[in-house]
Amino acid sequence: MSRKTKIRKNVPPYVRLDLRSRKMLVQSLLRTMAKKKQMGKMPANPLLVPKDPKTAIMPSHASILLMSALSYSSHWKIEQLTVDHLRESTREVIQLKPPLHASGVLSRCKPDLLLVLGSDLLLAEDLDFIRSLPFKKAIWLADSTGSSEILRQTALSFDCVFTQQSSHIPFYRHGGCRTVQFLPFPADPTEWYPLTVPEEYRSEVVIFGDTSQKTPALIPVIDSWRENKKVIVCGKGWDCFDDYQVLPDESPWPLYLNGANLVLHLSPSLNRILEAASCGACQISVDDPCLYQWTNPDEDILLFHTPEELGEKLNSLRCYPERRRRLSTQALAGSRFRYSYRQVVLELLRITFENY
């Protein structure tokens, strides 16, 4: 066998297309080339074009300028915990004291983000100065007790707004804020944690919330559960109930929460629920949409709509004590991992830099 024949045997076989098939193939190639040429002339859709990795900022590489505008002395831990976990998650954190407009720090550094905690100490000059800044601005509002037109005008100076109440989101967005997120302050683990308490702090039920038109229908259900045992209440309108001990909001609630067999929320406050979870409390609450993002109903908290449903949930806890222990354990685990300061700060950074 000749050398030429051996080479031909190693060549892959091919199929010769007929004239009609070749024409169809050429036309298909021409159509594809025309489409590519047309797409090259069209303006790119910014929603479909990925961010340039050269200009995108990773939170771990970011420089954060942080200022606390919280007015209450009890809020200093919020600032400290936020700073501690920002330092673990970013390149650097530079702390400022108000007034911001009088600070010369921007002449010495080039931050990627200004984060303001609260708004009580912000001046009009500060807001004008913030609007002129060329980098990202975010504010973490302390608006758990309510919002106002002043707060909405303040929020307009920032690119990202974080609120303590999900019900405030439409209010800020209607005013012109584009990026508004529900992000409550987590419970302080140095203040809210499980511990054994003296007898004077023990009770069968701790109730949070004001009375309403629905309260009279709930009282028989609660009384059936407590069986003449001690009930502690924090809220308005309870003075007419002689068997219930009403305490002010400034009471040592970490002790009372650790001493309660059950915590009942009639006016759900997510901050209160997270604090009780950090103490490992067994909780049941009126159903509210804001709870689903930050809790796992039926796993770390029970929810109800009607007095009848409340009675059913309470009876299930009485009949199955292990369910109460499981709810308490899951709530405590969630406060240590899913809803910890570290996780919430990471979520804040993710939202902020996704919208950079």
Side-chain angles (χ1 to χ4, degrees), residues 68 81 114 177 246-247 321 339:
S68 176
L81 287 165
L114 168 68
C177 302
V246 183
L247 296 179
Y339 325 123

Side-chain angles (χ1 to χ4, degrees), residues 43-104:
N45 185 346
L47 298 177
L48 301 179
V49 178
K51 292 183 179 180
D52 186 353
K54 296 181 180 179
T55 59
I57 298 176
M58 296 293 292
S60 58
H61 300 157
S63 174
I64 310 296
L65 196 63
L66 184 137
M67 187 187 80
S68 176
L70 297 167
S71 60
Y72 300 106
S73 58
S74 59
H75 285 161
W76 69 269
K77 285 188 177 180
I78 295 176
E79 177 185 6
Q80 190 57 51
L81 287 165
T82 303
V83 169
D84 291 343
H85 291 286
L86 279 174
R87 283 179 174 154
E88 292 178 358
S89 309
T90 61
R91 179 169 58 86
E92 67 173 348
V93 178
I94 303 168
Q95 287 182 263
L96 291 179
K97 297 294 182 183
L100 179 62
H101 71 279
S103 173

Side-chain angles (χ1 to χ4, degrees), residues 121-261:
L121 303 181
L122 286 176
L123 305 176
E125 294 84 354
D126 290 326
L127 297 178
D128 293 337
F129 180 74
I130 288 169
R131 283 190 287 268
S132 68
L133 295 177
F135 48 85
K136 197 78 169 180
K137 290 90 67 177
I139 185 167
W140 200 356
L141 293 170
D143 57 350
S144 58
T145 57
S147 190
S148 65
E149 185 60 31
I150 294 176
L151 273 180
R152 182 158 66 177
Q153 293 302 317
T154 298
L156 283 172
S157 300
F158 295 85
D159 304 301
C160 292
V161 178
F162 298 94
T163 173
Q164 302 294 311
Q165 296 283 359
S166 60
S167 58
H168 294 168
I169 292 177
F171 176 73
Y172 294 125
R173 285 181 176 169
H174 182 73
C177 302
R178 291 185 298 175
T179 303
V180 187
Q181 294 288 337
F182 173 42
L183 197 71
F185 292 137
D188 178 1
T190 65
E191 181 180 2
W192 307 89
Y193 56 88
L195 76 161
T196 304
V197 298
E199 184 63 31
E200 68 240 44
Y201 297 106
R202 296 185 180 276
S203 65
E204 188 64 21
V205 185
V206 166
I207 301 176
F208 288 109
D210 302 336
T211 58
S212 65
Q213 294 180 348
K214 300 179 180 180
T215 303
L218 296 174
I219 295 301
V221 180
I222 298 171
D223 287 342
S224 175
W225 160 262
R226 72 185 183 102
E227 296 178 341
N228 295 321
K229 295 178 182 178
K230 185 178 177 181
V231 175
I232 295 174
V233 180
C234 178
K236 299 177 181 179
W238 293 95
D239 297 333
C240 58
F241 298 94
D242 298 332
D243 293 341
Y244 292 9
Q245 181 181 349
V246 183
L247 296 179
D249 195 54
E250 298 78 20
S251 301
W253 288 111
L255 299 177
Y256 287 110
L257 288 173
N258 275 285
N261 287 331

